Amino acid sequence: AFGNFIEIRVDAAPAANITANISGVVVTGGSTATICAGEEVSFIATAVVGASYVFTIDGVAVGPRADSNVYTTTALISGQQIGVRVFDQLTAAAPAGCSADSASITIAVTPVPTLTVTSTAFGNEICACDAITFFANANIAGANYEFFVNSNPEQSSASQSFDPLAYGIVIAGGDVIEVRVSTGVASCSTAVASITVQTNSISTVGTITATSLTACLNDAVPALTGTAGVASGTVSYQWQTRNQTTSVFTDIFGATTQNYTPTTLLTTDTFYRRLTLSNTGTTTCDSFSNVIEIRVDAA
């Protein structure tokens, strides 16, 4: 004789899916999420009516079962696997009911890059129209480097060096050189650095004149006078000379004042010019004055 019947019903497991939004990119379970060190990441379990959730890291629960389907953290490290266990009962229900585990999201952490910009100019200071090359110093493998001059993009490549003259650009005082380096892997994979170039400028070289442009053979050179130079640094002077047998000017020893009275005797036509020098303590720049020719008249 048969007794009564008992039906054991099998409830279907709830849907268990997990996603994470990394800088606008949705990562699903079974995938890898590349994040920045210390970046805040929210993991979201697909909502199920009447369900509760337990989020896990490497299979270990990170908190008690809760009705919230969101887990947020800033303490992730590379290699960790984030998953969620979904129960088909709310936390107020006992027992918890049936559950299902999602596929895990694997974490890859990109370190925040370091970036500096340097140049071939000491102290990033140049003389007017000097050539200067810039270097992006970064610790990112396989990165792309963008160089900007005064916010204008000039070069984008894997090269960490930038030569403005290659693009017909002459760098002047006050120009800002900016570098952006990026791998495009995570939000922290982009770093920006910049430097401002300073110019040791000589705004006024000054002109030189002579009391006479002629002299007799073996006479002393007439007195030479010059107007003052104006520069961004400390101004000094150096007089130079050459004769008709050469095109190269040489310094006159001790002739370092604004005006100069030669003591040598002339035996041939001779040319004179004056250098105005500017010393900022970082660079020393010079610029030439006009040239004066003192002609020797035959006796």
Side-chain angles (χ1 to χ4, degrees):
F2 299 105
N4 58 309
F5 287 90
I6 292 178
E7 179 184 6
I8 305 298
R9 302 181 60 185
V10 176
D11 289 342
N17 297 293
I18 189 172
T19 61
N21 191 311
I22 312 296
S23 302
V25 177
V26 177
V27 180
T28 59
S31 303
T32 297
T34 302
I35 66 171
C36 303
E39 181 177 3
E40 182 178 87
V41 181
S42 292
F43 298 91
I44 303 171
T46 301
V48 175
V49 177
S52 56
Y53 312 87
V54 171
F55 286 89
T56 62
I57 296 180
D58 295 333
V60 179
V62 295
R65 182 166 64 98
D67 295 340
S68 173
N69 67 326
V70 179
Y71 167 64
T72 301
T73 180
T74 59
L76 297 172
I77 61 177
S78 284
Q80 287 182 326
Q81 294 189 322
I82 315 302
V84 64
R85 178 169 294 170
V86 182
F87 295 86
D88 62 2
Q89 299 287 332
L90 295 173
T91 53
C98 299
S99 65
D101 293 329
S102 71
S104 297
I105 294 176
T106 303
I107 300 300
V109 176
T110 296
V112 178
T114 58
L115 173 67
T116 59
V117 187
T118 56
S119 75
T120 52
F122 180 70
N124 300 317
E125 183 177 276
I126 60 173
C127 299
C129 299
D130 272 1
I132 181 173
T133 302
F134 301 92
F135 300 93
N137 308 291
N139 62 346
I140 309 175
N144 183 73
Y145 298 87
E146 293 181 275
F147 288 85
F148 299 78
V149 178
N150 299 325
S151 299
N152 296 315
E154 301 295 348
Q155 177 178 296
S156 178
S157 68
S159 175
Q160 292 179 247
S161 64
F162 170 56
D163 180 6
L165 286 180
Y167 299 89
I169 301 170
V170 178
I171 299 300
D175 284 348
V176 178
I177 311 302
E178 181 182 276
V179 180
R180 298 178 189 175
V181 57
S182 174
T183 61
V185 175
S187 59
C188 60
S189 64
T190 298
V192 180
S194 66
I195 58 175
T196 300
V197 177
Q198 302 297 329
T199 298
N200 180 356
S201 62
I202 300 175
S203 55
T204 301
V205 177
T207 57
I208 61 172
T209 57
T211 55
S212 175
L213 297 180
T214 60
C216 295
L217 183 66
N218 291 322
D219 272 0
V221 179
L224 306 174
T225 60
T227 58
V230 179
S232 54
T234 301
V235 174
S236 61
Y237 305 98
Q238 176 62 62
W239 290 83
Q240 296 182 323
T241 184
R242 73 172 179 85
N243 58 34
Q244 292 178 316
T245 64
T246 180
S247 61
V248 179
F249 280 88
T250 57
D251 291 347
I252 301 173
F253 179 75
T256 57
T257 55
Q258 180 177 328
N259 304 311
Y260 172 58
T261 300
T263 57
T264 57
L265 303 180
L266 283 181
T267 58
T268 184
D269 293 353
T270 305
F271 299 86
Y272 293 90
R273 71 180 183 185
R274 189 191 69 181
L275 272 67
T276 297
L277 300 98
S278 173
N279 184 356
T280 63
T282 301
T283 61
T284 298
C285 301
D286 58 52
S287 188
F288 303 111
S289 71
N290 58 305
V291 177
I292 288 179
E293 178 186 6
I294 306 298
R295 300 181 60 184
V296 174
D297 289 342

